[in-house]
């Protein structure tokens, strides 16, 4: 309808799309799906060929060898061709990458990954959902929430539980300590008493626990001595009698224990703290219990060993890392809490993102629970794994590596060349080569040398750690393809390298120790 006195203006003609340019051709759009298929197929073929041809987990390349090749690449001069870029990538990355899928990679908590999760990775990176708000993720939000509900049900945290996906165990532990800190400060008088309250807060954790607890305390502004290491028994599990004494000591000295951190799968020893007894102590003292199950969470789907996590259902918060014992690609982790209300401590409303009215409208914004804003849809990898394989199949794979670690422990206890520290409840084995005679004084140097020489050869990779001040070696078994023969072969290689070092040093042929 024409309003009185109004003039009618011609509407502009529809804009004609600009012709495609070489730059625009690289955007993933409806017009470039054929190019997308070709490029990804080429990349997948290169990776598949490399994995199929890999005969050792590592090439032994050094930083001094590789750094000049990468530094010499002019990033301002593109190659302009996918094939050429993949050829270059082969030279600077694929050839020298550390391949966790190889059965003689025995070092850190890195797992080979299942193919359904790789499918999820391809889908989530192409669609590129951001998990902070509903209007950026829609179904992704509900899938993540469903997986959190599934996990808290496996843990047994109860109907009020909730959680959120994170980048890894370090972030999960940080957020758990943040929530515990805020609950403790609120109980001690809130904002007005915060400075004084922070100085009195203490966190009790196992001496064998993860370093991220100390890091979280530093990031959260706690006192330098806020984290108290509780001693462990001969099996490297937290001593509950010492835990009870430390809680009592803190109370007598006017300190508040804001959290006890128990570990379900220590990084070095694969041991699980006595969760039922620790839960009893925390309940009696009114202390927040956090269980770091980043490693041991695979037991949640184990057909035979779920009982090893008994007591975890009494935790106030739990860390799980699917990218360890669920065979997921990095990153895939979550923080779970018994009472969803505590997640409010990570909430901040922004009018342009998640205004407060969205809560009243029952709009599910995941940023309300997370300390991240933009966040990948990592939950999709686990979703497809469960929908294609099912949890029992994942648990059976984890059971296999635990069985393999038990076999490795048996080999070591029967081999006079080595001594083993303790039997793991999961899949790590800590041990060391033990020279005889006058070479005994060189035990630390010999083990350091053996690990470095083994890595330089690329034939296998093992980890190292310090136990009671002495250097040890460590197998971390997360590959079901690793056989007992693989383990025996690596032990022979270690003994060969360490033995050569001891013989050479005792003969005076090597002037300085390994560094």
């Amino acid at each position: 309808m024409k309003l009185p006195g109004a003039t009618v203006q011609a509407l502009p003609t529809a804009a004609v799309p600009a012709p495609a340019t070489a730059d625009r051709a690289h955007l993933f759009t409806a017009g470039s799906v054929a190019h997308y298929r070709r490029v990804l197929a080429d990349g997948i073929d290169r990776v598949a060929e490399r994995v199929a041809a890999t005969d050792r987990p590592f090439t032994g390349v050094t930083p001094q060898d590789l750094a000049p090749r990468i530094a010499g690449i002019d990033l301002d001069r593109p190659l302009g061709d996918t094939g050429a870029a993949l050829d270059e990538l082969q030279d600077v990355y694929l050839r020298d990458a550390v391949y966790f899928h190889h059965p003689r990679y025995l070092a850190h908590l890195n797992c080979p990954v299942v193919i359904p999760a790789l499918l999820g990775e391809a889908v989530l990176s192409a669609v590129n959902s951001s998990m902070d708000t509903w209007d950026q993720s829609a179904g992704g939000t509900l899938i993540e929430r469903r997986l959190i509900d599934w996990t808290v049900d496996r843990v047994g945290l109860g109907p009020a539980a909730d959680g959120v996906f994170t980048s890894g165990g370090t972030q999960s532990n940080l957020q758990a300590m943040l929530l515990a800190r805020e609950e403790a400060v609120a109980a001690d008088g809130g904002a007005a008493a915060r400075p004084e309250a922070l100085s009195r807060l203490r966190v009790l954790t196992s001496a064998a626990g993860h370093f991220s607890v100390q890091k979280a305390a530093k990031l959260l502004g706690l006192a330098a001595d806020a984290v108290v290491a509780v001693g462990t028994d001969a099996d490297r599990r937290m001593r509950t009698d010492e835990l009870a004494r430390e809680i009592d000591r803190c109370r007598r000295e006017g300190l508040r224990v804001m959290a006890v951190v128990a570990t379900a799968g220590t990084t070095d020893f694969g041991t699980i703290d006595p969760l039922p007894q620790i839960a009893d102590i925390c309940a009696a003292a009114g202390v927040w219990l956090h269980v770091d199950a980043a490693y041991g969470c695979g037991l949640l789907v184990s057909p035979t060993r779920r009982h090893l996590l008994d007591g975890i259902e009494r935790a106030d918060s739990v860390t799980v890392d699917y990218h360890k014992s669920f065979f997921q690609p990095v990153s895939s982790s979550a923080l779970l809490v018994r009472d969803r209300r505590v997640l409010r401590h990570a909430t901040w409303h922004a009018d342009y993102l998640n205004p407060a009215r969205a809560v009243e409208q029952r709009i599910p914004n995941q940023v309300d629970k997370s300390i991240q804003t933009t966040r990948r849809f990592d939950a999709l990898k686990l979703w497809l794994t469960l929908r294609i394989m099912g949890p029992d199949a994942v648990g059976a794979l984890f059971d296999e590596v635990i069985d393999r670690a038990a076999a490795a422990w048996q080999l070591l206890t029967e081999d006079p060349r080595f001594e083993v520290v303790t039997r793991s409840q999961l899949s790590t084995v800590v041990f060391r080569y033990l020279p005889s005679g006058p070479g005994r004084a060189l035990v630390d140097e010999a083990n350091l040398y053996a690990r470095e020489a083994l890595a330089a050869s690329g034939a296998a990779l093992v980890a190292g750690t310090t136990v009671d001040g002495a250097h040890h070696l460590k197998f971390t078994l997360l590959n079901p393809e690793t056989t007992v023969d693989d383990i025996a072969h690596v032990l022979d290689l270690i003994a060969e390298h360490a033995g050569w070092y001891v013989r050479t040093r005792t003969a005076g042929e090597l002037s300085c120790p390994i560094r």
Side-chain angles (χ1 to χ4, degrees), residues 414-437:
E414 296 171 355
D415 192 329
R417 299 173 298 178
F418 300 96
E419 67 173 5
V420 64
V421 175
T422 187
R423 185 165 186 169
S424 171
Q425 293 166 282
L426 297 178
S427 63
T428 60
V429 188
V430 179
F431 63 98
R432 63 177 178 168
Y433 175 80
L434 202 59
S436 58

PDB file of all heavy atoms in Angstrom, residues 414-437:
ATOM      1  N   GLU A 414      60.562 -62.017  36.225  1.00  0.00           N
ATOM      2  CA  GLU A 414      61.319 -63.252  35.989  1.00  0.00           C
ATOM      3  C   GLU A 414      62.650 -62.998  35.292  1.00  0.00           C
ATOM      4  O   GLU A 414      63.411 -63.945  35.059  1.00  0.00           O
ATOM      5  CB  GLU A 414      60.469 -64.213  35.157  1.00  0.00           C
ATOM      6  CG  GLU A 414      59.195 -64.669  35.865  1.00  0.00           C
ATOM      7  CD  GLU A 414      58.261 -65.455  34.952  1.00  0.00           C
ATOM      8  OE1 GLU A 414      58.574 -65.561  33.739  1.00  0.00           O
ATOM      9  OE2 GLU A 414      57.218 -65.931  35.445  1.00  0.00           O
ATOM     10  N   ASP A 415      62.931 -61.744  34.946  1.00  0.00           N
ATOM     11  CA  ASP A 415      64.144 -61.419  34.188  1.00  0.00           C
ATOM     12  C   ASP A 415      65.183 -60.808  35.134  1.00  0.00           C
ATOM     13  O   ASP A 415      64.976 -59.712  35.666  1.00  0.00           O
ATOM     14  CB  ASP A 415      63.802 -60.431  33.072  1.00  0.00           C
ATOM     15  CG  ASP A 415      64.933 -60.259  32.072  1.00  0.00           C
ATOM     16  OD1 ASP A 415      66.110 -60.389  32.466  1.00  0.00           O
ATOM     17  OD2 ASP A 415      64.636 -59.988  30.891  1.00  0.00           O
ATOM     18  N   PRO A 416      66.300 -61.474  35.378  1.00  0.00           N
ATOM     19  CA  PRO A 416      67.287 -60.953  36.345  1.00  0.00           C
ATOM     20  C   PRO A 416      67.964 -59.668  35.899  1.00  0.00           C
ATOM     21  O   PRO A 416      68.629 -59.018  36.716  1.00  0.00           O
ATOM     22  CB  PRO A 416      68.298 -62.106  36.445  1.00  0.00           C
ATOM     23  CG  PRO A 416      68.156 -62.866  35.164  1.00  0.00           C
ATOM     24  CD  PRO A 416      66.717 -62.754  34.791  1.00  0.00           C
ATOM     25  N   ARG A 417      67.779 -59.259  34.647  1.00  0.00           N
ATOM     26  CA  ARG A 417      68.398 -58.020  34.172  1.00  0.00           C
ATOM     27  C   ARG A 417      67.664 -56.781  34.681  1.00  0.00           C
ATOM     28  O   ARG A 417      68.186 -55.669  34.609  1.00  0.00           O
ATOM     29  CB  ARG A 417      68.422 -57.988  32.640  1.00  0.00           C
ATOM     30  CG  ARG A 417      69.217 -59.109  32.001  1.00  0.00           C
ATOM     31  CD  ARG A 417      69.030 -59.098  30.485  1.00  0.00           C
ATOM     32  NE  ARG A 417      67.647 -59.326  30.093  1.00  0.00           N
ATOM     33  CZ  ARG A 417      67.221 -59.332  28.826  1.00  0.00           C
ATOM     34  NH1 ARG A 417      68.080 -59.106  27.833  1.00  0.00           N
ATOM     35  NH2 ARG A 417      65.946 -59.555  28.540  1.00  0.00           N
ATOM     36  N   PHE A 418      66.445 -56.949  35.185  1.00  0.00           N
ATOM     37  CA  PHE A 418      65.593 -55.814  35.525  1.00  0.00           C
ATOM     38  C   PHE A 418      65.012 -55.975  36.927  1.00  0.00           C
ATOM     39  O   PHE A 418      64.931 -57.079  37.466  1.00  0.00           O
ATOM     40  CB  PHE A 418      64.435 -55.691  34.522  1.00  0.00           C
ATOM     41  CG  PHE A 418      64.870 -55.479  33.105  1.00  0.00           C
ATOM     42  CD1 PHE A 418      64.986 -56.549  32.232  1.00  0.00           C
ATOM     43  CD2 PHE A 418      65.169 -54.207  32.650  1.00  0.00           C
ATOM     44  CE1 PHE A 418      65.384 -56.361  30.919  1.00  0.00           C
ATOM     45  CE2 PHE A 418      65.576 -54.004  31.337  1.00  0.00           C
ATOM     46  CZ  PHE A 418      65.687 -55.085  30.475  1.00  0.00           C
ATOM     47  N   GLU A 419      64.577 -54.833  37.478  1.00  0.00           N
ATOM     48  CA  GLU A 419      63.728 -54.858  38.665  1.00  0.00           C
ATOM     49  C   GLU A 419      62.498 -54.011  38.367  1.00  0.00           C
ATOM     50  O   GLU A 419      62.582 -52.995  37.662  1.00  0.00           O
ATOM     51  CB  GLU A 419      64.470 -54.346  39.899  1.00  0.00           C
ATOM     52  CG  GLU A 419      64.840 -52.890  39.901  1.00  0.00           C
ATOM     53  CD  GLU A 419      65.422 -52.463  41.245  1.00  0.00           C
ATOM     54  OE1 GLU A 419      65.614 -53.315  42.121  1.00  0.00           O
ATOM     55  OE2 GLU A 419      65.682 -51.246  41.401  1.00  0.00           O
ATOM     56  N   VAL A 420      61.370 -54.433  38.881  1.00  0.00           N
ATOM     57  CA  VAL A 420      60.098 -53.777  38.615  1.00  0.00           C
ATOM     58  C   VAL A 420      59.579 -53.170  39.912  1.00  0.00           C
ATOM     59  O   VAL A 420      59.781 -53.736  40.991  1.00  0.00           O
ATOM     60  CB  VAL A 420      59.096 -54.777  37.988  1.00  0.00           C
ATOM     61  CG1 VAL A 420      58.775 -55.891  38.944  1.00  0.00           C
ATOM     62  CG2 VAL A 420      57.831 -54.073  37.517  1.00  0.00           C
ATOM     63  N   VAL A 421      58.905 -52.002  39.816  1.00  0.00           N
ATOM     64  CA  VAL A 421      58.504 -51.275  41.026  1.00  0.00           C
ATOM     65  C   VAL A 421      57.269 -51.871  41.666  1.00  0.00           C
ATOM     66  O   VAL A 421      57.282 -52.310  42.811  1.00  0.00           O
ATOM     67  CB  VAL A 421      58.295 -49.773  40.708  1.00  0.00           C
ATOM     68  CG1 VAL A 421      57.760 -49.043  41.936  1.00  0.00           C
ATOM     69  CG2 VAL A 421      59.592 -49.152  40.234  1.00  0.00           C
ATOM     70  N   THR A 422      56.160 -51.886  40.933  1.00  0.00           N
ATOM     71  CA  THR A 422      54.915 -52.381  41.510  1.00  0.00           C
ATOM     72  C   THR A 422      54.025 -52.868  40.387  1.00  0.00           C
ATOM     73  O   THR A 422      54.230 -52.509  39.217  1.00  0.00           O
ATOM     74  CB  THR A 422      54.189 -51.287  42.316  1.00  0.00           C
ATOM     75  OG1 THR A 422      53.070 -51.855  43.002  1.00  0.00           O
ATOM     76  CG2 THR A 422      53.687 -50.169  41.417  1.00  0.00           C
ATOM     77  N   ARG A 423      53.059 -53.685  40.718  1.00  0.00           N
ATOM     78  CA  ARG A 423      52.131 -54.199  39.698  1.00  0.00           C
ATOM     79  C   ARG A 423      50.984 -53.212  39.520  1.00  0.00           C
ATOM     80  O   ARG A 423      50.290 -52.868  40.473  1.00  0.00           O
ATOM     81  CB  ARG A 423      51.590 -55.569  40.101  1.00  0.00           C
ATOM     82  CG  ARG A 423      50.723 -56.190  39.028  1.00  0.00           C
ATOM     83  CD  ARG A 423      50.494 -57.655  39.272  1.00  0.00           C
ATOM     84  NE  ARG A 423      49.779 -58.263  38.159  1.00  0.00           N
ATOM     85  CZ  ARG A 423      49.632 -59.579  38.005  1.00  0.00           C
ATOM     86  NH1 ARG A 423      50.147 -60.401  38.896  1.00  0.00           N
ATOM     87  NH2 ARG A 423      48.976 -60.064  36.974  1.00  0.00           N
ATOM     88  N   SER A 424      50.779 -52.772  38.292  1.00  0.00           N
ATOM     89  CA  SER A 424      49.756 -51.781  37.982  1.00  0.00           C
ATOM     90  C   SER A 424      48.373 -52.400  37.995  1.00  0.00           C
ATOM     91  O   SER A 424      48.181 -53.564  37.636  1.00  0.00           O
ATOM     92  CB  SER A 424      50.035 -51.173  36.599  1.00  0.00           C
ATOM     93  OG  SER A 424      48.968 -50.363  36.166  1.00  0.00           O
ATOM     94  N   GLN A 425      47.373 -51.600  38.390  1.00  0.00           N
ATOM     95  CA  GLN A 425      45.985 -52.015  38.233  1.00  0.00           C
ATOM     96  C   GLN A 425      45.484 -51.725  36.829  1.00  0.00           C
ATOM     97  O   GLN A 425      44.439 -52.225  36.428  1.00  0.00           O
ATOM     98  CB  GLN A 425      45.103 -51.285  39.256  1.00  0.00           C
ATOM     99  CG  GLN A 425      45.381 -51.699  40.693  1.00  0.00           C
ATOM    100  CD  GLN A 425      44.754 -50.746  41.686  1.00  0.00           C
ATOM    101  OE1 GLN A 425      45.280 -49.660  41.937  1.00  0.00           O
ATOM    102  NE2 GLN A 425      43.626 -51.131  42.261  1.00  0.00           N
ATOM    103  N   LEU A 426      46.253 -50.922  36.087  1.00  0.00           N
ATOM    104  CA  LEU A 426      45.879 -50.586  34.709  1.00  0.00           C
ATOM    105  C   LEU A 426      46.965 -51.091  33.759  1.00  0.00           C
ATOM    106  O   LEU A 426      47.268 -52.271  33.766  1.00  0.00           O
ATOM    107  CB  LEU A 426      45.626 -49.083  34.584  1.00  0.00           C
ATOM    108  CG  LEU A 426      44.448 -48.546  35.428  1.00  0.00           C
ATOM    109  CD1 LEU A 426      44.315 -47.048  35.274  1.00  0.00           C
ATOM    110  CD2 LEU A 426      43.155 -49.250  35.042  1.00  0.00           C
ATOM    111  N   SER A 427      47.572 -50.222  32.970  1.00  0.00           N
ATOM    112  CA  SER A 427      48.420 -50.721  31.889  1.00  0.00           C
ATOM    113  C   SER A 427      49.795 -50.073  31.842  1.00  0.00           C
ATOM    114  O   SER A 427      50.368 -49.926  30.768  1.00  0.00           O
ATOM    115  CB  SER A 427      47.706 -50.532  30.537  1.00  0.00           C
ATOM    116  OG  SER A 427      47.482 -49.154  30.261  1.00  0.00           O
ATOM    117  N   THR A 428      50.325 -49.671  32.987  1.00  0.00           N
ATOM    118  CA  THR A 428      51.695 -49.165  33.028  1.00  0.00           C
ATOM    119  C   THR A 428      52.581 -50.138  33.794  1.00  0.00           C
ATOM    120  O   THR A 428      52.112 -50.867  34.670  1.00  0.00           O
ATOM    121  CB  THR A 428      51.775 -47.780  33.696  1.00  0.00           C
ATOM    122  OG1 THR A 428      51.295 -47.892  35.038  1.00  0.00           O
ATOM    123  CG2 THR A 428      50.958 -46.751  32.959  1.00  0.00           C
ATOM    124  N   VAL A 429      53.856 -50.110  33.442  1.00  0.00           N
ATOM    125  CA  VAL A 429      54.845 -50.939  34.135  1.00  0.00           C
ATOM    126  C   VAL A 429      56.100 -50.088  34.314  1.00  0.00           C
ATOM    127  O   VAL A 429      56.679 -49.619  33.333  1.00  0.00           O
ATOM    128  CB  VAL A 429      55.200 -52.214  33.344  1.00  0.00           C
ATOM    129  CG1 VAL A 429      56.075 -53.125  34.204  1.00  0.00           C
ATOM    130  CG2 VAL A 429      53.957 -52.948  32.877  1.00  0.00           C
ATOM    131  N   VAL A 430      56.499 -49.868  35.570  1.00  0.00           N
ATOM    132  CA  VAL A 430      57.685 -49.067  35.876  1.00  0.00           C
ATOM    133  C   VAL A 430      58.795 -50.019  36.320  1.00  0.00           C
ATOM    134  O   VAL A 430      58.603 -50.837  37.224  1.00  0.00           O
ATOM    135  CB  VAL A 430      57.379 -48.031  36.973  1.00  0.00           C
ATOM    136  CG1 VAL A 430      58.628 -47.212  37.309  1.00  0.00           C
ATOM    137  CG2 VAL A 430      56.247 -47.110  36.521  1.00  0.00           C
ATOM    138  N   PHE A 431      59.969 -49.867  35.698  1.00  0.00           N
ATOM    139  CA  PHE A 431      61.057 -50.820  35.937  1.00  0.00           C
ATOM    140  C   PHE A 431      62.385 -50.137  35.620  1.00  0.00           C
ATOM    141  O   PHE A 431      62.425 -48.995  35.174  1.00  0.00           O
ATOM    142  CB  PHE A 431      60.881 -52.050  35.029  1.00  0.00           C
ATOM    143  CG  PHE A 431      60.961 -51.731  33.563  1.00  0.00           C
ATOM    144  CD1 PHE A 431      62.137 -51.925  32.857  1.00  0.00           C
ATOM    145  CD2 PHE A 431      59.855 -51.212  32.878  1.00  0.00           C
ATOM    146  CE1 PHE A 431      62.223 -51.618  31.502  1.00  0.00           C
ATOM    147  CE2 PHE A 431      59.931 -50.898  31.523  1.00  0.00           C
ATOM    148  CZ  PHE A 431      61.118 -51.105  30.841  1.00  0.00           C
ATOM    149  N   ARG A 432      63.467 -50.842  35.835  1.00  0.00           N
ATOM    150  CA  ARG A 432      64.765 -50.335  35.404  1.00  0.00           C
ATOM    151  C   ARG A 432      65.736 -51.486  35.187  1.00  0.00           C
ATOM    152  O   ARG A 432      65.603 -52.563  35.786  1.00  0.00           O
ATOM    153  CB  ARG A 432      65.345 -49.356  36.422  1.00  0.00           C
ATOM    154  CG  ARG A 432      65.645 -49.920  37.790  1.00  0.00           C
ATOM    155  CD  ARG A 432      66.287 -48.869  38.668  1.00  0.00           C
ATOM    156  NE  ARG A 432      66.545 -49.361  40.017  1.00  0.00           N
ATOM    157  CZ  ARG A 432      67.305 -48.728  40.899  1.00  0.00           C
ATOM    158  NH1 ARG A 432      67.889 -47.583  40.566  1.00  0.00           N
ATOM    159  NH2 ARG A 432      67.503 -49.216  42.109  1.00  0.00           N
ATOM    160  N   TYR A 433      66.675 -51.247  34.301  1.00  0.00           N
ATOM    161  CA  TYR A 433      67.784 -52.172  34.081  1.00  0.00           C
ATOM    162  C   TYR A 433      68.705 -52.091  35.294  1.00  0.00           C
ATOM    163  O   TYR A 433      69.002 -51.005  35.785  1.00  0.00           O
ATOM    164  CB  TYR A 433      68.533 -51.783  32.811  1.00  0.00           C
ATOM    165  CG  TYR A 433      69.773 -52.612  32.544  1.00  0.00           C
ATOM    166  CD1 TYR A 433      69.664 -53.882  31.977  1.00  0.00           C
ATOM    167  CD2 TYR A 433      71.031 -52.124  32.864  1.00  0.00           C
ATOM    168  CE1 TYR A 433      70.794 -54.642  31.728  1.00  0.00           C
ATOM    169  CE2 TYR A 433      72.166 -52.880  32.614  1.00  0.00           C
ATOM    170  CZ  TYR A 433      72.041 -54.141  32.053  1.00  0.00           C
ATOM    171  OH  TYR A 433      73.157 -54.890  31.812  1.00  0.00           O
ATOM    172  N   LEU A 434      69.155 -53.225  35.781  1.00  0.00           N
ATOM    173  CA  LEU A 434      69.957 -53.267  36.999  1.00  0.00           C
ATOM    174  C   LEU A 434      71.287 -53.959  36.714  1.00  0.00           C
ATOM    175  O   LEU A 434      71.360 -55.185  36.658  1.00  0.00           O
ATOM    176  CB  LEU A 434      69.197 -54.013  38.099  1.00  0.00           C
ATOM    177  CG  LEU A 434      69.614 -53.721  39.532  1.00  0.00           C
ATOM    178  CD1 LEU A 434      69.462 -52.240  39.869  1.00  0.00           C
ATOM    179  CD2 LEU A 434      68.784 -54.569  40.501  1.00  0.00           C
ATOM    180  N   PRO A 435      72.346 -53.174  36.495  1.00  0.00           N
ATOM    181  CA  PRO A 435      73.655 -53.792  36.230  1.00  0.00           C
ATOM    182  C   PRO A 435      74.149 -54.569  37.443  1.00  0.00           C
ATOM    183  O   PRO A 435      73.744 -54.319  38.579  1.00  0.00           O
ATOM    184  CB  PRO A 435      74.562 -52.580  35.950  1.00  0.00           C
ATOM    185  CG  PRO A 435      73.644 -51.426  35.746  1.00  0.00           C
ATOM    186  CD  PRO A 435      72.397 -51.716  36.508  1.00  0.00           C
ATOM    187  N   SER A 436      75.017 -55.489  37.197  1.00  0.00           N
ATOM    188  CA  SER A 436      75.604 -56.259  38.290  1.00  0.00           C
ATOM    189  C   SER A 436      77.036 -55.818  38.528  1.00  0.00           C
ATOM    190  O   SER A 436      77.625 -55.103  37.705  1.00  0.00           O
ATOM    191  CB  SER A 436      75.580 -57.759  37.952  1.00  0.00           C
ATOM    192  OG  SER A 436      76.298 -57.991  36.743  1.00  0.00           O
ATOM    193  N   GLY A 437      77.599 -56.238  39.656  1.00  0.00           N
ATOM    194  CA  GLY A 437      78.998 -55.964  39.945  1.00  0.00           C
ATOM    195  C   GLY A 437      79.301 -54.486  40.044  1.00  0.00           C
ATOM    196  O   GLY A 437      78.479 -53.687  40.530  1.00  0.00           O
TER     197      GLY A 437
END
